[in-house]
Amino acid sequence: MSVQATSSSPSERIATLEMRGIVKRFPGVTALKGVDFDVHAGEIHALLGENGAGKSTLMKILYGLYQQSEGQVLINGAPVHIGSPHESTKRGIGMIHQHFMLVPSLTVAENVALGMPSGRGGVLDLKKISEDISQLSQKYNLRIYPERPVWQLSVGEQQRVEIIRALYRGAALLILDEPTAVLTPQESDDLFIVLKQMAAEGHSIIFISHKLHEVLAISDRITVLRDGARVNTIPAAGATRLTLAEMMVGRPVVLEYELPPPVRGEARLTVQGVSALSERGDMGLKEVSFTLYGGEIVGVAGVSGNGQHELAEVVAGMRPLAGGTIHVGDQPAGGKSPAALRQLGVSYIPEERMIDGVVKNFTVAENFVLKDQSDPPYALGRFFLRPRKIAEACRQIIHDYEVKTPGTDTPIKNLSGGNIQKVVLARELAQQPTLLIAAQPTRGVDIGATEYIHHRLLEERAKGTAILLISEDLDEVMALSDRIIVMYEGRAVGEVLRRDYDVRTIGAMMAGAGRGD
Amino acid sequence: MNIFETIGSIVTASVFASTLRLATPYLFAAIGETFAQRSGLLNLGVDGIMLMGAFTGFYAVYATGSLLLGVLTALVVGGLMGLAIAFISVTLRAKQGISGIGLYLFGLGLSELLFQRLIGTPKSIERFPDIYIPVLSDIEFLGIGQIFFRQNLLVYIAFASVPIAAYVLRRTSYGLKIRAVGQNPAAADAMDVNVARIRYSTQIFGGMMAGLAGASLSVALLGVFQQNLTGGLGFIAVALVYFGRWRPVGVMIGALLFSFVNALQLQVGALGFDVPPEFSTMAPYVITIIALAFAGRQTEKPTALTVPFQRGE
């Protein structure tokens, strides 16, 4: 049944899809305030917006994971009710989730077979499914081996499995939720070629993203959402990154920063042949060496899982050192605890802010003093807390950092990602660090807060702080860093100076294409 | 008597025959628990279900004289207790370790209460007779006939259930759903698999198998019921699932290993050697701990074991 659906024309199944006046109310919030959206066969339509703008909610309604409070969905002009993913799949709507919906221990073919009627009776016909997968993979040039277990596949390969599975299920319309977040620039380009081919064959494609240049590169039309409402729908031709960013944020924004030439201070961090184990138990970080000087930002780029995470943690004292030496200033710092490192002037913005950055059930004020709680002026004799002093200091940073919070005693988990990150940043910068390790400082943070955090980092640079910026967002690394160290399979495979920045060469190094210059 | 003669007098064909017999309750309970665990449910109450299956099966045979009715009763009671623990684990999303212990204590207490009220003093019943498979049971070579082909019906069924269970898990779409639900329920849900329904089904099946395991003790193996008849055997069955790395064949190997030690213990006792029985009783547990400690990469391990599923979390 499914394979027949695949061979019937997608443009006949969904010629047009329209969402009219969609309203979605959650208890206490209206997430969507009457959004109109439409897509037609052969079109790539990008959905752009900040976190919390309502992109995902809108698409979850379309995919049947949520029910709209008001409004209509029409396919080919006829109103339809989509009550579950089962119904949307039946109508030819497929979705590639941001976190892949694959079962690691199962093979590619088994993942595709899951939930599909198969073979004779209840017995799986994996051979047939493998053949169908091979056909689809040839047709769309999506190289994949049906017999391999998914846990052995790279992230890019897993995404191909997701796309093939959607096609196998007869998807005429494909929703992709931030599909390039985990890909190298080259893999993204490959994906775009596939998507364009699918569109040319009459598929409709909805592409959710917040990366402006990608949206411009791939889509025919762009719809921008802000605060649950549609700002506008415009053709991609003629739009620019700046106009799109302004539509998203609602005010003019700065996307590129002027970096004055670095005033290089003394060596603040010297890493020599450092290795560390990863969570998987293998050597995730292999003999990395570099020196970081005061007054410069060194970016670490790489695809997720190539050792950056281990590097950040080992330097921050959060992960045991398996080999090599680390010096902060001229003090040996390898294997020291985070508290000892703090005495040496090291501050750390952790990657997982809800796990390593804050205690989510603590208040804003408690989180703010988390490292200084037993020091004056917040404590009396290292034992008694002084709540009024704490609240006072916290109110000051709420003001200085423009943190949006109802008060100092609000549990921090009730704040948005951007505001939580501002509290973490405020706490870490209050230490007056000489070395700042910033791991994914703007992940899941809205553009406004991102801009603010970037400015703060640049201010620290101007003050002479040495900053190690670890980020999977290549645009961010390129915008802020004086030089970039590229990591691949746990090794530092190259270093690029600011004047030589080029997405292609850095991307190739991220994909393991050997040492750059 | 030299050492080889000693071993020869202990490890006889009858030891191997009783190894298979003693493996039966382990097999039923552990195969059922394998299905539950592969779908992400840990049921520590297996022993409690076994006790209830053992008692109700025994009582049905005692009251009616029908072995078939005894087995059916144990299956129904086990299935109902499986349904109860499924409701607690899946629908109420309770902590599975704790609720399983609760179910065990419930089964332990209720089976004893019913025994006291309905029977009172230990009675014996007509057990499942041994079935001699024609021709095969006459094989003298290495005692094969005696070991494999002169067993009761439940022994044959228990061993037949191993390849069937492996096939269902590996080759059917139901098995695929079980594995997916135990590994990544969110993915299974997105692919239109009803997570709750699969988990209910495996847990009810697990309960029925535990009930059957109990009946195989009381109705087939021993022909009696007494307080705490299982003596913690159901907990070993849960450990066997880990030991067997969630594979039916692995579970069978573990069950045979345990029951072999049990059989040896009986034989050594019968021959009058002066070995404290506690040693051989402890041996299986020690083996389990060692096996678990050295477990390497477990590709079949259900990563969502004991984690309740709720869409959108």
Side-chain angles (χ1 to χ4, degrees):
Chain A
M1 165 211 138
S2 58
V3 183
Q4 282 163 4
T6 315
S7 54
S8 88
S9 157
S11 59
E12 284 166 26
R13 296 193 72 199
I14 300 182
T16 61
L17 182 138
E18 210 179 327
M19 302 180 84
R20 271 192 207 154
I22 302 290
V23 174
K24 177 64 185 174
R25 281 184 283 267
F26 291 108
V29 232
T30 305
L32 294 172
K33 303 162 184 164
V35 173
D36 296 326
F37 181 80
D38 72 286
V39 61
H40 56 76
E43 180 188 35
I44 300 180
H45 194 148
L47 195 52
L48 190 65
E50 299 262 48
N51 290 320
K55 298 170 299 197
S56 292
T57 309
L58 188 68
M59 288 302 110
K60 280 177 177 167
I61 288 170
L62 185 54
Y63 191 57
L65 287 166
Y66 291 160
Q67 298 301 301
Q68 68 266 38
S69 311
E70 284 171 38
Q72 266 192 321
V73 178
L74 301 94
I75 293 180
N76 300 339
V80 292
H81 173 77
I82 300 173
S84 69
H86 176 69
E87 287 171 42
S88 60
T89 307
K90 245 175 37 191
R91 294 189 187 278
I93 298 171
M95 183 156 179
I96 312 294
H97 297 266
Q98 199 173 353
H99 303 286
F100 297 149
M101 292 294 183
L102 297 170
V103 184
S105 70
L106 303 185
T107 66
V108 171
E110 285 176 329
N111 267 288
V112 171
L114 184 62
M116 296 291 291
S118 150
R120 308 131 280 162
V123 180
L124 289 171
D125 192 351
L126 288 176
K127 227 173 126 190
K128 173 87 174 66
I129 291 166
S130 296
E131 282 164 16
D132 292 340
I133 292 172
S134 300
Q135 268 182 22
L136 283 170
S137 90
Q138 270 167 23
K139 185 173 171 193
Y140 292 99
N141 205 14
L142 290 159
R143 205 158 34 79
I144 213 78
Y145 299 101
E147 291 83 18
R148 285 185 61 189
V150 162
W151 63 266
Q152 291 181 351
L153 304 183
S154 72
V155 178
E157 288 172 316
Q158 293 187 24
Q159 188 174 62
R160 282 181 228 153
V161 177
E162 287 262 4
I163 293 173
I164 283 187
R165 179 165 69 180
L167 292 171
Y168 180 84
R169 292 177 159 238
L173 183 151
L174 204 59
I175 306 163
L176 297 108
D177 190 359
E178 305 265 0
T180 60
V182 290
L183 303 180
T184 63
Q186 275 78 2
E187 284 177 317
S188 299
D189 288 349
D190 292 345
L191 173 68
F192 292 166
I193 294 169
V194 172
L195 294 182
K196 283 183 170 156
Q197 187 191 342
M198 286 171 58
E201 282 175 12
H203 288 89
S204 316
I205 289 168
I206 302 173
F207 184 92
I208 304 178
S209 182
H210 65 257
K211 292 189 186 170
L212 303 170
H213 61 90
E214 285 179 3
V215 165
L216 288 169
I218 190 172
S219 42
D220 300 304
R221 282 192 297 159
I222 302 166
T223 291
V224 181
L225 296 185
R226 187 174 72 231
D227 293 334
R230 189 183 70 158
V231 178
N232 205 351
T233 300
I234 55 171
T240 67
R241 289 175 62 192
L242 214 55
T243 56
L244 289 176
E246 285 190 26
M247 285 167 74
M248 278 167 77
V249 183
R251 60 174 170 80
V253 289
V254 180
L255 293 173
E256 271 151 29
Y257 308 103
E258 281 299 319
L259 256 69
V263 185
R264 208 182 240 205
E266 57 200 61
R268 288 279 163 70
L269 174 68
T270 312
V271 171
Q272 202 100 55
V274 161
S275 302
L277 291 172
S278 73
E279 272 96 6
R280 296 182 300 271
D282 56 344
M283 205 52 84
L285 185 67
K286 296 169 193 155
E287 294 168 22
V288 170
S289 302
F290 63 87
T291 305
L292 172 57
Y293 298 91
E296 69 168 351
I297 299 181
V298 169
V300 177
V303 180
S304 175
N306 276 287
Q308 313 94 297
H309 169 70
E310 288 79 4
L311 176 64
E313 291 201 341
V314 83
V315 173
M318 301 278 286
R319 182 175 289 273
L321 191 64
T325 59
I326 300 173
H327 285 82
V328 171
D330 49 9
Q331 301 281 322
K336 287 216 168 142
S337 70
L341 289 171
R342 193 176 134 234
Q343 300 300 325
L344 297 176
V346 181
S347 275
Y348 175 44
I349 298 172
E351 179 177 339
E352 295 281 355
R353 74 177 148 264
M354 295 314 286
I355 297 168
D356 299 326
V358 298
V359 181
K360 62 182 180 184
N361 290 318
F362 278 21
T363 67
V364 174
E366 285 168 335
N367 272 294
F368 173 63
V369 294
L370 212 47
K371 291 185 173 174
D372 298 326
Q373 74 279 30
S374 40
D375 297 331
Y378 306 132
L380 203 60
R382 298 193 63 81
F383 190 73
F384 296 102
L385 289 176
R386 303 172 73 185
R388 255 195 293 164
K389 291 277 181 205
I390 294 172
E392 218 169 84
C394 187
R395 269 194 294 275
Q396 186 64 42
I397 67 108
I398 287 173
H399 176 263
D400 290 351
Y401 284 76
E402 299 161 24
V403 180
K404 282 183 208 143
T405 169
T408 55
D409 53 0
T410 307
I412 201 157
K413 64 178 179 190
N414 295 354
L415 271 54
S416 76
N419 285 304
I420 295 172
Q421 193 69 322
K422 283 180 177 176
V423 175
V424 173
L425 185 71
R427 180 182 71 207
E428 296 304 319
L429 295 187
Q431 318 278 345
Q432 310 272 3
T434 54
L435 169 63
L436 175 66
I437 301 150
Q440 319 290 353
T442 61
R443 178 188 279 175
V445 169
D446 57 272
I447 289 192
T450 297
E451 201 187 357
Y452 184 86
I453 291 167
H454 286 170
H455 278 297
R456 280 282 178 169
L457 292 178
L458 292 173
E459 266 176 48
E460 282 298 310
R461 172 181 178 271
K463 276 195 225 163
T465 308
I467 300 174
L468 187 63
L469 171 68
I470 292 151
S471 174
E472 279 155 26
D473 183 348
L474 188 53
D475 294 335
E476 174 174 56
V477 176
M478 288 173 55
L480 295 176
S481 314
D482 294 296
R483 52 196 168 104
I484 293 177
I485 294 167
V486 184
M487 302 218 30
Y488 178 71
E489 291 191 341
R491 291 182 194 282
V493 291
E495 187 178 320
V496 187
L497 298 178
R498 189 169 182 88
R499 58 180 144 80
D500 302 324
Y501 283 0
D502 173 55
V503 182
R504 296 295 128 206
T505 42
I506 296 176
M509 289 160 79
M510 283 163 65
R515 197 167 282 268
D517 49 1
Chain B
M1 204 155 54
N2 71 34
I3 184 77
F4 294 105
E5 280 171 9
T6 311
I7 292 173
S9 73
I10 296 171
V11 186
T12 59
S14 83
V15 168
F16 287 112
S18 63
T19 295
L20 296 201
R21 239 186 328 274
L22 293 170
T24 311
Y26 288 130
L27 270 181
F28 281 129
I31 293 286
E33 177 67 6
T34 300
F35 272 62
Q37 289 201 14
R38 287 299 281 269
S39 77
L41 296 175
L42 174 68
N43 176 16
L44 286 180
V46 169
D47 205 52
I49 302 181
M50 283 179 68
L51 282 166
M52 284 300 292
F55 174 76
T56 56
F58 177 83
Y59 185 70
V61 177
Y62 174 75
T64 67
S66 162
L67 289 167
L68 179 69
L69 207 59
V71 166
L72 286 178
T73 307
L75 283 171
V76 169
V77 168
L80 286 174
M81 290 180 77
L83 176 66
I85 196 80
F87 178 73
I88 292 165
S89 300
V90 179
T91 306
L92 301 182
R93 312 175 72 230
K95 286 272 177 262
Q96 293 174 18
I98 307 297
S99 54
I101 301 280
L103 188 76
Y104 161 65
L105 293 171
F106 171 79
L108 178 67
L110 185 61
S111 62
E112 193 194 338
L113 175 70
L114 290 172
F115 174 69
Q116 298 292 354
R117 285 296 162 92
L118 297 175
I119 301 177
T121 52
K123 301 254 173 29
S124 66
I125 51 163
E126 193 69 30
R127 287 182 293 153
F128 268 90
D130 289 345
I131 298 173
Y132 283 52
I133 308 276
V135 186
L136 294 174
S137 62
D138 297 331
I139 299 174
E140 294 283 338
F141 182 65
L142 292 175
I144 283 174
Q146 184 192 352
I147 295 171
F148 295 105
F149 302 111
R150 297 177 201 167
Q151 302 280 12
N152 69 60
L153 181 64
L154 294 188
V155 177
Y156 296 123
I157 293 176
F159 280 91
S161 74
V162 174
I164 294 171
Y167 183 83
V168 168
L169 282 174
R170 193 91 235 128
R171 293 279 166 225
T172 66
S173 97
Y174 175 61
L176 182 63
K177 286 177 189 169
I178 292 174
R179 288 185 281 149
V181 163
Q183 280 260 334
N184 188 349
D189 182 56
M191 288 302 110
D192 209 25
V193 174
N194 188 329
V195 175
R197 187 186 298 168
I198 294 291
R199 286 184 169 175
Y200 263 92
S201 75
T202 57
Q203 188 60 82
I204 290 170
F205 173 72
M208 291 170 74
M209 291 292 270
L212 186 58
S216 75
L217 263 182
S218 65
V219 179
L221 202 59
L222 305 170
V224 294
F225 184 85
Q226 62 183 45
Q227 179 199 352
N228 193 16
L229 180 74
T230 56
L233 199 150
F235 288 97
I236 299 187
V238 176
L240 279 175
V241 179
Y242 283 80
F243 183 93
R245 309 253 174 105
W246 296 275
R247 290 187 169 103
V249 174
V251 166
M252 181 182 74
I253 291 167
L256 286 171
L257 195 65
F258 274 51
S259 57
F260 178 67
V261 174
N262 292 156
L264 268 186
Q265 178 193 345
L266 294 175
Q267 177 80 349
V268 167
L271 291 178
F273 285 94
D274 188 21
V275 180
E278 286 78 10
F279 276 113
S280 44
T281 317
M282 283 187 289
Y285 304 93
V286 175
I287 294 170
T288 305
I289 291 167
I290 292 171
L292 291 178
F294 287 93
R297 185 181 162 78
Q298 301 167 335
T299 50
E300 306 288 346
K301 181 175 182 175
T303 44
L305 190 61
T306 77
V307 183
F309 173 70
Q310 188 159 46
R311 183 177 287 169
E313 269 190 4

